[in-house]
Amino acid sequence: MNPDDRVVDLVATFGAQDANVAWLLCDRHPTDNVAITAVDATGDVSTVTFGQLAADSHRYARVLQGLGVRPGDRVATLMGKSAELATVLLAIWRLGAVYVPLFTAFAPQAIALRLAGSGARLVIVDPDQRHKLAPGPDMPEDPERNVVVTKAT
């Protein structure tokens, strides 16, 4: 395939109105192929296959659905780069929800600004970042917002 035809093919596949993000990024790949290689802070390496990623993201999507997440809802994450973040993102997209990134370097005031601006009603947070969501002068209390703490990393 020549480069121009390849570009047309990619645009048709990834730019389609009915493109399914979960299928494009995960489900269409062989289940035993490695999807993610993660290196943690201690240097330990772990891998996740497409099959594991699909199963885990489906499971996470069911949890999010149980929390009331529907298509078009905004779901924020305050998580470090990890295989779990990829799983959460895929779960959000499986439900047709909108991903709102909150970077771990953000201070509470910057997080509050993005939460208010996005209308996110659910925040998925790593345990070591949870303190940034505590109500205070920089983080207004919002009884409508749910916070889900991920497993310890």
Side-chain angles (χ1 to χ4, degrees):
M1 179 180 293
N2 73 46
D4 290 338
D5 289 341
R6 180 69 177 137
V7 169
V8 169
D9 182 52
L10 288 170
V11 169
T13 300
F14 290 89
Q17 229 15 52
D18 62 346
N20 179 310
V21 177
W23 181 82
L24 289 169
L25 298 180
C26 180
D27 300 345
R28 69 184 181 139
H29 299 285
T31 58
D32 57 343
N33 282 8
V34 173
I36 300 166
T37 300
V39 181
D40 69 16
T42 65
D44 288 337
V45 177
S46 61
T47 59
V48 178
T49 66
F50 283 106
Q52 291 168 313
L53 180 59
D56 291 348
S57 64
H58 275 288
R59 196 169 20 262
Y60 218 113
R62 286 191 298 276
V63 169
L64 295 177
Q65 241 177 353
L67 293 169
V69 175
R70 303 289 176 255
D73 287 349
R74 288 143 196 89
V75 178
T77 64
L78 183 56
M79 301 173 67
K81 294 178 181 100
S82 65
E84 188 174 13
L85 175 60
T87 301
V88 168
L89 293 178
L90 201 56
I92 291 167
W93 293 327
R94 280 189 188 286
L95 297 176
V98 179
Y99 166 56
V100 178
L102 300 172
F103 302 105
T104 56
F106 286 165
Q109 188 176 27
I111 293 168
L113 179 70
R114 283 156 180 85
L115 289 174
S118 70
R121 288 289 166 229
L122 178 68
V123 182
I124 303 167
V125 59
D126 281 340
D128 65 342
Q129 297 292 314
R130 176 66 176 98
H131 67 280
K132 293 180 180 179
L133 298 173
D138 292 328
M139 179 63 64
E141 188 165 354
D142 185 345
E144 306 259 329
R145 183 181 311 121
N146 289 315
V147 176
V148 176
V149 181
T150 64
K151 66 181 180 185
T153 53

